[in-house]
Amino acid sequence: MNYIRLSWLVVLMWMLPASWVAATTESEVVVTIKPLAMLVKAVVGDEMPVTVLMPANVSPHDYALRFSDVRALNEAALVVWVGPELESALRKPLAAARPEVLQLSALAGMQWPVSASKDDEHKGVVVQGESHVDHEHSRDLHLWLSPENSRVAVKAVAARLALLYPDKAALFETNLHVFLGALDSFDQRARQRLEPLGAKGFVVTHDGYGHFIQYYGLKQLAAVQLSSGHQRGARHFARILEFGVQVGCVFTEPQMNSKAARQLASQLGVSTAVLDPMGQQITLNRESYLEFMAGIIDTFATCLEESAQTGNG
Protein backbone atom coordinates (compact mmCIF):
# COMPACT_ATOMS: atom_id res chain seq x y z
CA MET A 1 0.00 0.00 0.00
CA ASN A 2 2.81 2.42 0.91
CA TYR A 3 4.57 1.56 -2.35
CA ILE A 4 1.40 2.42 -4.35
CA ARG A 5 1.03 5.77 -2.60
CA LEU A 6 4.71 6.59 -3.23
CA SER A 7 4.33 5.73 -6.92
CA TRP A 8 1.33 8.03 -7.30
CA LEU A 9 3.25 10.82 -5.54
CA VAL A 10 6.11 10.51 -8.04
CA VAL A 11 3.63 10.65 -10.93
CA LEU A 12 1.94 13.75 -9.51
CA MET A 13 5.28 15.50 -9.09
CA TRP A 14 6.06 14.96 -12.78
CA MET A 15 2.65 16.36 -13.72
CA LEU A 16 3.04 19.56 -11.68
CA PRO A 17 4.34 22.75 -13.36
CA ALA A 18 8.09 23.10 -13.16
CA SER A 19 7.80 26.45 -11.39
CA TRP A 20 5.75 24.87 -8.56
CA VAL A 21 8.16 22.00 -8.12
CA ALA A 22 11.09 24.44 -7.97
CA ALA A 23 9.30 26.42 -5.29
CA THR A 24 9.09 23.34 -3.07
CA THR A 25 12.91 22.92 -3.19
CA GLU A 26 15.67 25.40 -2.48
CA SER A 27 15.09 28.21 -4.97
CA GLU A 28 17.87 30.32 -6.38
CA VAL A 29 18.57 33.92 -7.16
CA VAL A 30 19.78 34.08 -10.76
CA VAL A 31 21.80 37.08 -11.88
CA THR A 32 23.00 37.80 -15.38
CA ILE A 33 26.57 38.96 -14.72
CA LYS A 34 29.15 38.51 -11.99
CA PRO A 35 29.29 42.10 -10.68
CA LEU A 36 25.57 41.92 -9.92
CA ALA A 37 26.10 38.57 -8.19
CA MET A 38 28.64 40.27 -5.91
CA LEU A 39 26.01 42.78 -4.83
CA VAL A 40 23.34 40.11 -4.32
CA LYS A 41 25.78 37.95 -2.34
CA ALA A 42 26.40 40.87 0.02
CA VAL A 43 22.69 40.73 0.89
CA VAL A 44 22.05 36.97 1.03
CA GLY A 45 25.42 35.87 2.42
CA ASP A 46 25.66 32.10 2.66
CA GLU A 47 21.93 31.64 3.23
CA MET A 48 20.91 31.37 -0.39
CA PRO A 49 22.52 30.15 -3.62
CA VAL A 50 23.28 32.76 -6.28
CA THR A 51 23.68 31.58 -9.87
CA VAL A 52 25.57 33.69 -12.43
CA LEU A 53 24.20 33.19 -15.92
CA MET A 54 26.93 34.68 -18.12
CA PRO A 55 30.67 33.90 -17.95
CA ALA A 56 32.80 36.82 -16.78
CA ASN A 57 35.16 36.45 -19.76
CA VAL A 58 32.40 37.24 -22.29
CA SER A 59 30.78 40.60 -22.96
CA PRO A 60 27.05 40.55 -22.06
CA HIS A 61 26.40 42.31 -25.37
CA ASP A 62 27.48 39.19 -27.27
CA TYR A 63 26.24 36.34 -25.08
CA ALA A 64 23.96 33.68 -26.61
CA LEU A 65 21.68 31.90 -24.15
CA ARG A 66 21.83 28.12 -23.79
CA PHE A 67 18.90 25.83 -23.03
CA SER A 68 20.20 25.42 -19.46
CA ASP A 69 20.16 29.22 -19.05
CA VAL A 70 16.50 29.42 -20.04
CA ARG A 71 15.67 26.64 -17.61
CA ALA A 72 17.52 28.47 -14.82
CA LEU A 73 15.55 31.63 -15.55
CA ASN A 74 12.26 29.74 -15.46
CA GLU A 75 13.08 28.06 -12.15
CA ALA A 76 14.54 31.09 -10.36
CA ALA A 77 12.87 32.63 -7.35
CA LEU A 78 14.33 35.98 -8.41
CA VAL A 79 16.18 37.16 -11.54
CA VAL A 80 18.37 40.26 -11.23
CA TRP A 81 19.64 41.97 -14.38
CA VAL A 82 20.70 45.41 -15.55
CA GLY A 83 18.10 45.56 -18.31
CA PRO A 84 17.38 44.84 -21.97
CA GLU A 85 19.88 47.43 -23.24
CA LEU A 86 22.79 45.44 -21.79
CA GLU A 87 21.66 41.79 -21.64
CA SER A 88 19.66 41.89 -24.88
CA ALA A 89 19.57 38.09 -25.16
CA LEU A 90 17.26 37.96 -22.13
CA ARG A 91 14.46 40.09 -23.54
CA LYS A 92 12.35 37.25 -24.91
CA PRO A 93 13.15 34.58 -22.28
CA LEU A 94 12.23 36.91 -19.42
CA ALA A 95 9.07 38.00 -21.19
CA ALA A 96 8.05 34.34 -21.56
CA ALA A 97 9.14 33.20 -18.09
CA ARG A 98 7.30 33.93 -14.87
CA PRO A 99 9.98 34.49 -12.26
CA GLU A 100 10.27 37.56 -10.08
CA VAL A 101 12.44 40.02 -12.04
CA LEU A 102 14.40 42.98 -10.71
CA GLN A 103 15.67 45.34 -13.41
CA LEU A 104 18.33 47.58 -11.90
CA SER A 105 18.40 50.14 -14.72
CA ALA A 106 14.76 50.94 -13.97
CA LEU A 107 15.24 51.65 -10.25
CA ALA A 108 14.45 55.10 -8.95
CA GLY A 109 17.57 56.76 -7.61
CA MET A 110 19.99 55.38 -10.18
CA GLN A 111 22.43 58.06 -11.32
CA TRP A 112 23.57 58.24 -14.94
CA PRO A 113 26.70 59.87 -16.39
CA VAL A 114 26.28 63.20 -18.15
CA SER A 115 26.51 62.62 -21.92
CA ALA A 116 27.85 64.76 -24.70
CA SER A 117 25.48 65.75 -27.49
CA LYS A 118 24.67 63.26 -30.22
CA ASP A 119 25.84 65.81 -32.78
CA ASP A 120 29.39 65.55 -31.41
CA GLU A 121 29.17 61.76 -31.48
CA HIS A 122 27.96 61.64 -35.08
CA LYS A 123 30.77 63.96 -36.15
CA GLY A 124 33.29 61.58 -34.63
CA VAL A 125 34.67 64.28 -32.36
CA VAL A 126 36.68 63.09 -29.38
CA VAL A 127 35.22 64.85 -26.36
CA GLN A 128 37.10 65.13 -23.09
CA GLY A 129 35.09 63.16 -20.52
CA GLU A 130 33.31 61.98 -23.65
CA SER A 131 29.80 60.80 -24.28
CA HIS A 132 29.79 57.20 -23.00
CA VAL A 133 27.04 56.74 -25.59
CA ASP A 134 26.84 54.84 -28.88
CA HIS A 135 24.21 54.30 -31.52
CA GLU A 136 22.93 51.09 -29.92
CA HIS A 137 22.77 52.21 -26.30
CA SER A 138 21.46 55.53 -25.03
CA ARG A 139 23.45 55.40 -21.79
CA ASP A 140 26.38 53.76 -20.06
CA LEU A 141 24.90 50.65 -18.47
CA HIS A 142 27.86 49.67 -16.24
CA LEU A 143 26.00 51.07 -13.26
CA TRP A 144 27.70 48.74 -10.74
CA LEU A 145 30.94 50.74 -11.12
CA SER A 146 29.39 53.54 -9.05
CA PRO A 147 29.19 52.90 -5.28
CA GLU A 148 26.23 55.27 -5.20
CA ASN A 149 24.29 53.08 -7.64
CA SER A 150 25.41 49.93 -5.86
CA ARG A 151 23.81 51.26 -2.69
CA VAL A 152 20.55 51.70 -4.58
CA ALA A 153 20.85 48.18 -6.02
CA VAL A 154 21.49 46.31 -2.76
CA LYS A 155 18.64 48.11 -1.02
CA ALA A 156 16.28 47.05 -3.82
CA VAL A 157 17.56 43.46 -3.71
CA ALA A 158 17.08 43.26 0.07
CA ALA A 159 13.57 44.69 -0.16
CA ARG A 160 12.50 42.29 -2.91
CA LEU A 161 13.97 39.24 -1.16
CA ALA A 162 12.27 40.23 2.09
CA LEU A 163 8.93 40.04 0.28
CA LEU A 164 9.78 36.64 -1.20
CA TYR A 165 11.27 35.22 2.01
CA PRO A 166 9.72 37.07 4.98
CA ASP A 167 11.25 34.58 7.42
CA LYS A 168 14.71 35.75 6.32
CA ALA A 169 13.92 39.47 6.14
CA ALA A 170 15.82 40.27 9.35
CA LEU A 171 18.90 38.46 8.03
CA PHE A 172 18.81 40.36 4.75
CA GLU A 173 18.44 43.64 6.64
CA THR A 174 21.42 42.83 8.88
CA ASN A 175 23.61 41.88 5.92
CA LEU A 176 22.55 45.03 4.10
CA HIS A 177 23.45 47.22 7.08
CA VAL A 178 26.89 45.60 7.41
CA PHE A 179 27.61 45.95 3.69
CA LEU A 180 26.56 49.60 3.50
CA GLY A 181 28.76 50.44 6.47
CA ALA A 182 31.75 48.67 4.91
CA LEU A 183 31.09 50.36 1.55
CA ASP A 184 31.01 53.82 3.16
CA SER A 185 34.38 53.23 4.84
CA PHE A 186 35.85 51.83 1.63
CA ASP A 187 34.51 54.75 -0.39
CA GLN A 188 36.19 57.30 1.86
CA ARG A 189 39.56 55.60 1.42
CA ALA A 190 39.05 55.36 -2.34
CA ARG A 191 38.31 59.08 -2.62
CA GLN A 192 41.43 59.94 -0.64
CA ARG A 193 43.57 57.97 -3.08
CA LEU A 194 41.89 59.10 -6.31
CA GLU A 195 41.35 62.77 -5.51
CA PRO A 196 44.96 63.84 -6.24
CA LEU A 197 44.69 62.13 -9.65
CA GLY A 198 41.60 63.95 -10.88
CA ALA A 199 43.55 66.05 -13.41
CA LYS A 200 45.47 63.12 -14.90
CA GLY A 201 44.18 62.24 -18.37
CA PHE A 202 43.75 58.69 -19.64
CA VAL A 203 42.18 56.64 -22.43
CA VAL A 204 40.14 53.45 -22.04
CA THR A 205 39.63 50.61 -24.52
CA HIS A 206 35.93 50.20 -23.77
CA ASP A 207 33.67 53.18 -23.22
CA GLY A 208 32.03 51.76 -20.10
CA TYR A 209 33.48 53.67 -17.15
CA GLY A 210 31.20 56.68 -17.13
CA HIS A 211 29.67 55.83 -13.76
CA PHE A 212 33.05 55.31 -12.12
CA ILE A 213 34.62 58.39 -13.69
CA GLN A 214 31.75 60.71 -12.82
CA TYR A 215 31.49 59.40 -9.26
CA TYR A 216 35.20 59.81 -8.50
CA GLY A 217 35.82 62.90 -10.64
CA LEU A 218 38.40 61.42 -12.99
CA LYS A 219 39.53 62.69 -16.40
CA GLN A 220 38.82 60.29 -19.26
CA LEU A 221 39.97 61.84 -22.52
CA ALA A 222 38.64 59.24 -24.96
CA ALA A 223 37.70 55.61 -25.58
CA VAL A 224 39.05 53.40 -28.36
CA GLN A 225 35.84 51.35 -28.67
CA LEU A 226 32.17 52.10 -28.18
CA SER A 227 30.37 50.78 -25.11
CA SER A 228 29.04 47.89 -27.23
CA GLY A 229 32.62 46.90 -28.07
CA HIS A 230 32.47 48.11 -31.69
CA GLN A 231 35.65 49.67 -33.09
CA ARG A 232 35.76 53.30 -34.13
CA GLY A 233 37.43 54.54 -37.30
CA ALA A 234 40.91 55.79 -38.15
CA ARG A 235 39.86 59.43 -37.77
CA HIS A 236 38.87 58.81 -34.17
CA PHE A 237 42.20 57.07 -33.50
CA ALA A 238 44.08 60.03 -34.98
CA ARG A 239 42.17 62.49 -32.82
CA ILE A 240 43.14 60.54 -29.70
CA LEU A 241 46.80 60.79 -30.71
CA GLU A 242 46.40 64.57 -30.76
CA PHE A 243 46.05 64.54 -26.97
CA GLY A 244 49.76 63.66 -26.83
CA VAL A 245 51.30 64.14 -23.38
CA GLN A 246 47.87 64.75 -21.84
CA VAL A 247 47.39 60.96 -21.90
CA GLY A 248 48.97 59.38 -18.86
CA CYS A 249 47.75 55.82 -19.31
CA VAL A 250 45.78 53.59 -21.68
CA PHE A 251 43.55 50.99 -20.02
CA THR A 252 42.70 47.67 -21.67
CA GLU A 253 40.23 44.88 -20.78
CA PRO A 254 40.39 41.07 -20.85
CA GLN A 255 36.94 40.84 -22.49
CA MET A 256 37.85 43.15 -25.37
CA ASN A 257 40.24 43.11 -28.31
CA SER A 258 42.92 45.46 -27.01
CA LYS A 259 45.22 45.49 -30.04
CA ALA A 260 44.27 49.04 -31.07
CA ALA A 261 44.63 50.28 -27.49
CA ARG A 262 48.11 48.80 -27.18
CA GLN A 263 49.12 50.34 -30.50
CA LEU A 264 47.82 53.68 -29.27
CA ALA A 265 49.80 53.43 -26.03
CA SER A 266 52.94 52.55 -27.97
CA GLN A 267 52.59 55.57 -30.25
CA LEU A 268 51.92 57.85 -27.28
CA GLY A 269 54.76 56.34 -25.28
CA VAL A 270 52.63 55.59 -22.22
CA SER A 271 51.93 52.54 -20.09
CA THR A 272 48.94 50.23 -20.33
CA ALA A 273 47.08 48.58 -17.46
CA VAL A 274 44.30 45.98 -17.46
CA LEU A 275 40.89 46.87 -16.02
CA ASP A 276 38.33 44.10 -15.52
CA PRO A 277 34.84 45.60 -15.11
CA MET A 278 33.35 42.07 -14.91
CA GLY A 279 35.49 40.78 -12.02
CA GLN A 280 36.66 37.69 -13.87
CA GLN A 281 39.22 36.66 -11.23
CA ILE A 282 37.15 37.51 -8.14
CA THR A 283 35.83 34.65 -6.00
CA LEU A 284 32.13 35.11 -5.28
CA ASN A 285 31.31 35.75 -1.61
CA ARG A 286 29.80 38.48 0.53
CA GLU A 287 33.02 40.57 0.39
CA SER A 288 33.44 40.21 -3.39
CA TYR A 289 32.16 43.64 -4.40
CA LEU A 290 34.59 45.53 -2.17
CA GLU A 291 37.48 43.36 -3.40
CA PHE A 292 36.38 43.96 -6.98
CA MET A 293 36.16 47.74 -6.61
CA ALA A 294 39.48 47.84 -4.75
CA GLY A 295 41.10 46.20 -7.77
CA ILE A 296 39.57 48.73 -10.18
CA ILE A 297 40.68 51.65 -8.01
CA ASP A 298 44.19 50.29 -7.51
CA THR A 299 44.62 49.76 -11.26
CA PHE A 300 43.51 53.30 -12.06
CA ALA A 301 45.56 54.87 -9.29
CA THR A 302 48.78 52.91 -9.81
CA CYS A 303 48.98 53.61 -13.55
CA LEU A 304 48.13 57.31 -13.16
CA GLU A 305 50.56 57.71 -10.26
CA GLU A 306 53.36 56.19 -12.35
CA SER A 307 52.50 58.44 -15.30
CA ALA A 308 52.76 61.50 -13.04
CA GLN A 309 56.35 60.55 -12.26
CA THR A 310 57.22 60.46 -15.98
CA GLY A 311 55.52 63.79 -16.71
CA ASN A 312 52.62 62.36 -18.77
CA GLY A 313 48.97 63.08 -18.06
Side-chain angles (χ1 to χ4, degrees):
M1 187 69 174
N2 290 339
Y3 175 79
I4 295 173
R5 288 178 179 174
L6 181 60
S7 298
W8 272 108
L9 180 60
V10 171
V11 172
L12 286 171
M13 288 294 289
W14 277 103
M15 294 174 62
L16 288 170
S19 59
W20 191 93
V21 175
T24 65
T25 61
E26 188 175 29
S27 299
E28 290 186 333
V29 179
V30 172
V31 297
T32 50
I33 56 176
K34 194 172 183 180
L36 303 190
M38 298 175 191
L39 294 173
V40 172
K41 200 66 177 173
V43 175
V44 303
D46 299 325
E47 295 298 315
M48 189 174 294
V50 177
T51 297
V52 184
L53 210 62
M54 302 179 180
N57 63 344
V58 176
S59 170
H61 300 290
D62 305 322
Y63 186 70
L65 287 179
R66 302 165 299 178
F67 177 77
S68 58
D69 296 331
V70 176
R71 182 175 60 197
L73 292 173
N74 288 328
E75 295 178 353
L78 176 66
V79 176
V80 181
W81 68 327
V82 173
E85 295 169 281
L86 183 69
E87 307 100 317
S88 56
L90 268 68
R91 285 174 176 155
K92 290 183 179 179
L94 284 182
R98 287 179 172 76
E100 285 277 336
V101 178
L102 181 61
Q103 180 179 327
L104 298 186
S105 65
L107 293 176
M110 281 290 170
Q111 301 297 310
W112 300 95
V114 176
S115 299
S117 71
K118 288 189 176 181
D119 288 339
D120 285 339
E121 185 67 18
H122 284 301
K123 292 173 184 176
V125 175
V126 180
V127 181
Q128 183 171 302
E130 62 179 16
S131 67
H132 315 288
V133 174
D134 63 45
H135 303 302
E136 294 182 8
H137 307 103
S138 59
R139 52 189 176 178
D140 178 2
L141 297 163
H142 302 73
L143 49 84
W144 61 89
L145 291 175
S146 162
E148 183 176 19
N149 287 338
S150 294
R151 292 182 184 97
V152 173
V154 292
K155 290 176 183 178
V157 168
R160 183 66 65 89
L161 286 173
L163 293 175
L164 292 171
Y165 300 96
D167 58 317
K168 296 181 178 179
L171 173 68
F172 299 146
E173 183 64 27
T174 298
N175 289 346
L176 175 65
H177 179 74
V178 170
F179 174 73
L180 291 176
L183 181 58
D184 287 344
S185 297
F186 168 85
D187 193 20
Q188 291 176 9
R189 296 191 300 272
R191 287 186 179 278
Q192 289 173 359
R193 186 169 186 193
L194 292 174
E195 186 174 4
L197 304 172
K200 303 297 179 183
F202 59 87
V203 173
V204 295
T205 297
H206 171 214
D207 195 11
Y209 296 91
H211 290 278
F212 184 87
I213 289 160
Q214 180 168 289
Y215 186 79
Y216 284 114
L218 299 177
K219 186 181 179 182
Q220 177 179 311
L221 297 172
V224 179
Q225 299 178 18
L226 296 169
S227 60
S228 60
H230 294 165
Q231 295 283 353
R232 286 167 166 167
R235 182 186 175 196
H236 180 86
F237 193 92
R239 292 295 300 271
I240 298 177
L241 288 173
E242 291 177 9
F243 282 114
V245 296
Q246 295 181 56
V247 181
C249 193
V250 175
F251 294 102
T252 65
E253 286 185 26
Q255 293 87 11
M256 297 286 174
N257 183 343
S258 299
K259 181 178 179 181
R262 288 192 294 268
Q263 289 176 343
L264 178 70
S266 177
Q267 292 185 44
L268 289 169
V270 300
S271 298
T272 62
V274 181
L275 291 169
D276 184 5
M278 303 300 291
Q280 186 173 336
Q281 301 300 324
I282 303 295
T283 301
L284 188 60
N285 55 50
R286 66 177 67 196
E287 287 85 29
S288 295
Y289 181 75
L290 297 181
E291 180 186 351
F292 163 69
M293 287 296 289
I296 296 285
I297 287 163
D298 187 62
T299 300
F300 265 108
T302 299
C303 196
L304 293 176
E305 287 164 352
E306 290 174 354
S307 74
Q309 295 174 5
T310 63
N312 281 30

